[in-house]
Amino acid sequence: MTLSEIEELQPTNLAELADAIPGVNLDGGARSSGERISIWGFSDPDDINVMVDGAPIGFQQYRYGSFFFDPALISEVYLTKGAHEVRTGNGGFGGTMQLRTKDASDFLRGNDTFGVRLQGGYNTNDELERYSATAYGMLGEDWQFLVNGVFRESNDVTLGNGETLDYSAYEQHNMLAKLSYENLEHRLMLSHSRYKDTGQKPWATRRGGMPEITDRLIEKYGSYDAALYAYTVNNTFTDETTTFNYQYSPISPWVDVELVLAHSKNERHWVRPDIAWDKMYVSVGNYGHESWLSYRRDYASLTNTATLGKHVVETGLQYKSIDRNSHVFNKSAAKNEKKNFGYYTPYFEPSGTQDTYSFYIKDDYHLTDQWLITPSLRYDYIVSEGKENLASDYNDPDAGHDYSKVSHRGWSPRLALNYQWLPTTAFNFAYAYSLKAPSIDDIYSVQYARASKAISSSRDLELERIHAYKLGVLHQERGFVAAGDHLAAELTLHWNQAENDVAQRRGEKSTEQLQGWRTNLDGYHIYGADFRAFYRLNGWYTDLSASVLRGKHEGSLADSTGTNEYLPGIAPLNVNLGLGYQWYEGLTTGWKVRWYDEQHRTPPADDLFYLSVKSESYTLQELYAEWLPVPSNQDFITSLTVKNLTDRYYEPYLAAGVPGAGRDIRFSVTYKW
């Protein structure tokens, strides 16, 4: 996905941007900071690998979003679906998304040495105002710089039925600073990005309406509005990522070295309003009156690519460290010594570290002009260590609360075949046997000693494994129907068979008190197909895509006994059609329609651990236009996008009953000089 395609969409968040790709879905409702990304049915943050200029990002918390980065700072998106990227280890079953941020070369033209780009926009649905200012240029012959700041401020979202999604407003201050250097042999880049989102929201942002306000609550808090306000939090999320890239490419077929060093930190802090501190009892399962969760990541990657005859061999070393700190203050437990007088780590959201040491080798072997064979092998060694809880209820050795180190290791072989059957037609096949270590949550979540079953740390968990298969065909042809036309079509079939998935221990696997709270089950399978086609003829163009998914767990979701059960999080069949026309150089308009089938293949209704919210079929339409007031001036651009043209009320399946936004007219103006 290119810069022009990103700006045509005018997305408000990264998940909405990814939702435009077949096989990828926005997992979440209309409320900001509740969005996640689902690829081929995988939406767990450990199953999606998102890299910004080579640096991994991500966040994981119960009923909160996962990947936050302002799409206005992105120049290019490249997605590998499935577990087929050798540079990705310890997770990434759903896919790897590479984001390249903007740099000066995206805007400099000809003999330009300096420029400024201003952009302003307005969304009617939530009255979102957005402003972006970019300064960029050359520093001598080889150095470039770019600085980009983005501001967004919205009110509450309006749904298709005219109702307001309470406490969905937000404010964001985001920025990117980048310095790069390039000559014949050396290239380096230093970038720093910052994302900050604030707003008064429910602590569980992945929800629809606010809790029901009863007469008793109105009496308790004094009014309906005060009671509603008591169930919100002042939420702040920040993410800062710094990346250094260096590439050395001498005139030698054996040496092409790339070094990536990155550090990132993200933190979510929320606090309930004063009225809740005064009058609200908060259970330990609802965090507390104030919450802090942070992730620190350090990442290093060293690779070399060597050309040896028909072989292009890439070797790599990687290191990734995650340090998570989780704390709450619960005033309701302020007099409880076993809860450390209210300041402790939630038992279901432990603190800890996880370090991954990896190396890999990949060989692109050009057997003939038609055949490319790519075997690869990767090794991951993962060390996890918890941090002791300040509350003795969750730090009791006699209850099996053990936060010491646990290690996992394993090999991940992969094979890819590409066959150029005709100049216009190619086939590809890929297989991967990849792994995912248990997370800090999986290993070190515990229950207090007075619980009846499964109260201990889960130190005996095995690696989750996946057999991933992918088969595709790509056809491109000019002069398909008429002279000057262009057709491109791609079909991808995929099957993913997972083993040893980790779940909360229950059912027939939960028999004793001193058992780990998590356990391995027998796995699951997900399969499906993606289709995408483009056709261009003179000024006309059309895009057609479709995606279908199916997935079941091996046995029940509780304990793998009995018959197979439907997996949660499997998107329904969806079909997308787009038509557009360039009326003249400087004016392009288009229409899109997206149809989603009903989804009734859901987990059992009596399973309290997985939401079983069915969804009905619905259709969404969009309009878009791009107009250059002065066709010869590419520096002055106006854009219009209308989302949900018919103001349809709908509840996407992946949002678990949380409604989507109503009609939204998005307008932006861009000027560069």
Side-chain angles (χ1 to χ4, degrees):
M1 185 175 291
T2 64
L3 176 60
S4 61
E5 292 173 323
I6 294 171
E7 295 193 337
E8 176 189 297
L9 292 170
Q10 300 191 61
T12 58
N13 55 61
L14 182 59
E16 184 182 346
L17 173 62
D19 189 52
I21 304 172
V24 183
N25 294 275
L26 191 158
D27 181 348
R31 183 174 279 108
S32 168
S33 70
E35 66 275 1
R36 291 186 178 180
I37 298 171
S38 176
I39 305 176
W40 282 355
F42 295 92
S43 61
D44 188 287
D46 290 334
D47 286 328
I48 309 296
N49 189 37
V50 177
M51 311 286 286
V52 177
D53 290 335
I57 64 170
F59 190 79
Q60 183 169 1
Q61 189 173 37
Y62 176 62
R63 299 186 76 177
Y64 199 69
S66 53
F67 299 104
F68 302 103
F69 197 83
D70 196 319
L73 304 177
I74 300 172
S75 174
E76 186 177 48
V77 178
Y78 181 79
L79 176 65
T80 300
K81 300 176 192 174
H84 302 286
E85 173 56 69
V86 70
R87 293 193 177 197
T88 296
N90 188 19
F93 288 178
T96 298
M97 182 178 295
Q98 300 277 359
L99 309 179
R100 183 179 72 82
T101 58
K102 295 176 178 178
D103 56 39
S105 62
D106 292 320
F107 306 113
L108 291 171
R109 292 198 297 267
N111 296 321
D112 291 349
T113 59
F114 179 78
V116 174
R117 190 173 192 255
L118 301 178
Q119 190 172 61
Y122 182 78
N123 296 8
T124 60
N125 181 286
D126 55 1
E127 299 178 334
L128 171 68
E129 296 180 15
R130 45 196 168 93
Y131 306 98
S132 173
T134 309
Y136 54 89
M138 302 289 297
L139 298 172
E141 294 184 359
D142 301 321
W143 291 88
Q144 296 182 354
F145 75 91
L146 178 142
V147 179
N148 190 176
V150 182
F151 171 78
R152 301 173 186 266
E153 184 177 23
S154 83
N155 288 320
D156 289 338
V157 170
T158 301
L159 307 176
N161 59 5
E163 296 181 359
T164 297
L165 187 63
D166 292 326
Y167 292 104
S168 55
Y170 66 92
E171 182 177 309
Q172 290 182 7
H173 300 261
N174 308 322
M175 61 82 65
L176 169 69
K178 201 169 188 180
L179 180 67
S180 57
Y181 170 86
E182 184 173 2
N183 67 14
L184 292 177
E185 295 186 347
H186 303 274
R187 185 179 66 190
L188 64 84
M189 182 274 291
L190 178 65
S191 71
H192 177 78
S193 62
R194 185 172 188 267
Y195 176 98
K196 183 177 182 180
D197 177 280
T198 59
Q200 198 74 23
K201 308 175 183 183
W203 69 261
T205 56
R206 290 171 59 80
R207 68 171 299 148
M210 297 293 291
E212 181 183 358
I213 303 302
T214 63
D215 291 340
R216 184 184 66 83
L217 291 176
I218 293 174
E219 181 180 356
K220 178 179 180 179
Y221 293 106
S223 69
Y224 176 88
D225 290 340
L228 194 66
Y229 181 65
Y231 281 89
T232 68
V233 300
N234 187 345
N235 185 87
T236 300
F237 178 88
T238 58
D239 183 293
E240 297 200 42
T241 301
T242 303
T243 306
F244 173 78
N245 284 263
Y246 172 71
Q247 186 172 7
Y248 175 55
S249 304
I251 305 176
S252 169
W254 303 293
V255 180
D256 188 352
V257 178
E258 183 178 6
L259 172 68
V260 179
L261 301 174
H263 172 77
S264 66
K265 176 185 177 181
N266 51 39
E267 180 178 14
R268 184 191 183 197
H269 170 243
W270 58 256
V271 58
R272 297 183 189 269
D274 291 344
I275 193 172
W277 283 72
D278 294 338
K279 299 184 177 183
M280 181 181 289
Y281 173 84
V282 179
S283 67
V284 293
N286 286 318
Y287 290 93
H289 291 79
E290 191 166 5
S291 171
W292 302 262
L293 178 65
S294 67
Y295 285 82
R296 291 178 181 269
R297 286 180 174 83
D298 291 300
Y299 178 76
S301 172
L302 178 64
T303 64
N304 182 63
T305 304
T307 302
L308 308 169
K310 293 185 177 182
H311 298 265
V312 179
V313 180
E314 179 181 329
T315 54
L317 297 171
Q318 293 177 341
Y319 167 74
K320 181 169 69 172
S321 175
I322 300 175
D323 184 354
R324 184 169 93 163
N325 287 285
S326 172
H327 296 95
V328 299
F329 179 74
N330 190 336
K331 185 184 176 184
S332 303
K335 296 181 180 180
N336 187 338
E337 183 178 1
K338 291 186 176 181
K339 293 291 191 297
N340 192 41
F341 306 102
Y343 184 72
Y344 54 89
T345 297
Y347 65 92
F348 53 86
E349 191 177 272
S351 299
T353 62
Q354 188 170 84
D355 297 333
T356 304
Y357 307 84
S358 313
F359 72 83
Y360 68 87
I361 182 169
K362 181 181 73 168
D363 179 16
D364 287 331
Y365 175 41
H366 295 265
L367 179 64
T368 67
D369 291 340
Q370 293 177 288
W371 281 98
L372 173 62
I373 304 174
T374 306
S376 65
L377 185 64
R378 180 185 177 94
Y379 179 78
D380 292 289
Y381 176 69
I382 305 105
V383 180
S384 306
E385 184 174 11
K387 298 180 182 180
E388 293 187 354
N389 204 310
L390 296 174
S392 60
D393 262 349
Y394 312 119
N395 192 15
D396 183 353
D398 293 336
H401 299 164
D402 187 346
Y403 295 95
S404 60
K405 288 183 180 179
V406 176
S407 63
H408 296 82
R409 70 206 68 187
W411 296 91
S412 298
R414 291 175 170 87
L415 177 65
L417 304 175
N418 289 273
Y419 176 56
Q420 191 69 42
W421 180 44
L422 297 170
T424 57
T425 308
F427 293 89
N428 59 77
F429 168 80
Y431 167 76
Y433 180 58
S434 191
L435 62 84
K436 180 173 69 171
S439 67
I440 296 169
D441 278 344
D442 295 332
I443 302 171
Y444 299 110
S445 293
V446 299
Q447 298 191 85
Y448 74 138
R450 296 182 294 281
S452 60
K453 295 180 181 179
I455 65 175
S456 306
S457 307
S458 306
R459 301 175 54 80
D460 59 348
L461 292 173
E462 299 180 14
L463 290 169
E464 184 175 344
R465 284 288 195 169
I466 192 168
H467 296 272
Y469 303 86
K470 182 170 67 173
L471 177 65
V473 57
L474 174 65
H475 181 82
Q476 296 192 66
E477 186 172 349
R478 296 187 181 275
F480 178 68
V481 174
D485 71 356
H486 182 203
L487 170 71
E490 182 177 16
L491 174 65
T492 302
L493 309 176
H494 57 92
W495 177 284
N496 293 283
Q497 181 74 50
E499 305 166 346
N500 293 329
D501 58 313
V502 177
Q504 189 165 319
R505 187 185 295 273
R506 54 197 179 111
E508 293 190 5
K509 289 185 175 290
S510 181
T511 59
E512 301 175 8
Q513 188 184 42
L514 293 180
Q515 287 181 304
W517 198 23
R518 306 290 172 89
T519 187
N520 291 107
L521 298 182
D522 291 349
Y524 55 89
H525 59 268
I526 301 174
Y527 62 95
D530 292 342
F531 174 76
R532 191 170 193 178
F534 307 84
Y535 182 72
R536 306 288 185 266
L537 175 61
N538 300 325
W540 288 96
Y541 56 93
T542 181
D543 303 336
L544 175 66
S545 66
S547 181
V548 60
L549 279 177
R550 297 287 186 268
K552 280 192 173 184
H553 194 267
E554 307 301 333
S556 76
L557 291 160
D559 54 16
S560 288
T561 61
T563 60
N564 293 353
E565 293 180 351
Y566 288 118
L567 280 176
I570 302 298
L573 167 68
N574 60 88
V575 180
N576 311 292
L577 173 65
L579 298 172
Y581 184 67
Q582 184 178 22
W583 297 87
Y584 58 84
E585 185 177 357
L587 177 61
T588 302
T589 60
W591 167 81
K592 297 179 182 179
V593 59
R594 307 186 70 174
W595 174 78
Y596 294 84
D597 196 7
E598 65 181 18
Q599 180 57 288
H600 289 180
R601 299 178 177 88
T602 61
D606 59 354
D607 192 323
L608 301 179
F609 286 78
Y610 297 97
L611 292 175
S612 182
V613 181
K614 295 177 170 58
S615 67
E616 302 304 320
S617 62
Y618 59 93
T619 302
L620 300 177
Q621 298 184 59
E622 299 179 17
L623 294 176
Y624 66 90
E626 182 179 275
W627 178 50
L628 278 63
V630 182
S632 61
N633 184 2
Q634 299 288 325
D635 298 333
F636 184 21
I637 304 172
T638 61
S639 301
L640 177 70
T641 302
V642 183
K643 307 280 288 187
N644 193 359
L645 177 65
T646 60
D647 204 20
R648 174 74 180 266
Y649 178 85
Y650 65 102
E651 297 178 358
Y653 168 66
L654 293 181
V658 181
R663 182 188 298 115
D664 191 13
I665 302 174
R666 303 178 180 181
F667 178 74
S668 70
V669 178
T670 304
Y671 188 76
K672 180 171 77 75
W673 69 89

